[in-house]
Amino acid sequence: MFSHSKRYSLRTLSIIALLALAITGFSQASYAIDLATARTMGLVGETDKGYLAIPPGAKSSAEIQTLITDVNAVRKADFTAQSKKIGVDVELVGTRMFQIKIYPSLSPGTWVKIQGNWMKKE
């Protein structure tokens, strides 16, 4: 399901996986609507790049846009820090975090965008 155009050593991918498992979660500011609720309501979805986005048919609001912007900024900072520690592309860190941590934790019915296609997790 997941493929990469670049080849990385098993050691590098193992380090990424261990770092991903070590991260207990992403920091979040307090919002009137939290990330879990926004996901459940179909207002936000997860992309295979490790970031939030608005799924098809969802109506955006200023509050949802702020939630997405803030969570994505924290994630980008986390991914960047991890990429510098292990010496791989930040995009690879985001993709691996989606594969190892984010996707497995999502409830069925959550919108996900994988390889450019939106679908609901089964």
Side-chain angles (χ1 to χ4, degrees):
M1 180 162 129
F2 303 105
S3 63
H4 302 288
S5 60
K6 296 182 180 178
R7 293 187 141 270
Y8 293 93
S9 71
L10 183 57
R11 181 178 181 274
T12 300
L13 294 175
S14 296
I15 291 170
I16 293 170
L18 289 173
L19 289 171
L21 293 173
I23 297 173
T24 60
F26 301 108
S27 303
Q28 296 180 24
S30 179
Y31 297 96
I33 186 168
D34 63 279
L35 178 55
T37 302
R39 282 185 188 138
T40 301
M41 294 175 64
L43 300 172
V44 300
E46 297 283 350
T47 71
D48 60 358
K49 304 295 184 209
Y51 298 103
L52 295 176
I54 297 180
K59 300 209 184 233
S60 182
S61 68
E63 181 180 21
I64 294 300
Q65 284 294 338
T66 299
L67 176 69
I68 289 170
T69 299
D70 291 352
V71 169
N72 284 348
V74 170
R75 289 182 180 186
K76 184 173 184 174
D78 289 344
F79 299 164
T80 300
Q82 294 303 320
S83 74
K84 287 180 182 179
K85 282 183 188 176
I86 58 178
V88 298
D89 294 334
V90 68
E91 292 83 13
L92 178 61
V93 175
T95 298
R96 294 297 292 157
M97 286 297 292
F98 173 78
Q99 294 170 344
I100 295 168
K101 183 164 179 62
I102 298 170
Y103 186 82
S105 72
L106 297 175
S107 301
T110 302
W111 281 103
V112 292
K113 185 177 185 181
I114 299 174
Q115 296 182 348
N117 298 308
W118 281 103
M119 62 193 80
K120 288 192 176 186
K121 181 181 180 190
E122 295 183 8

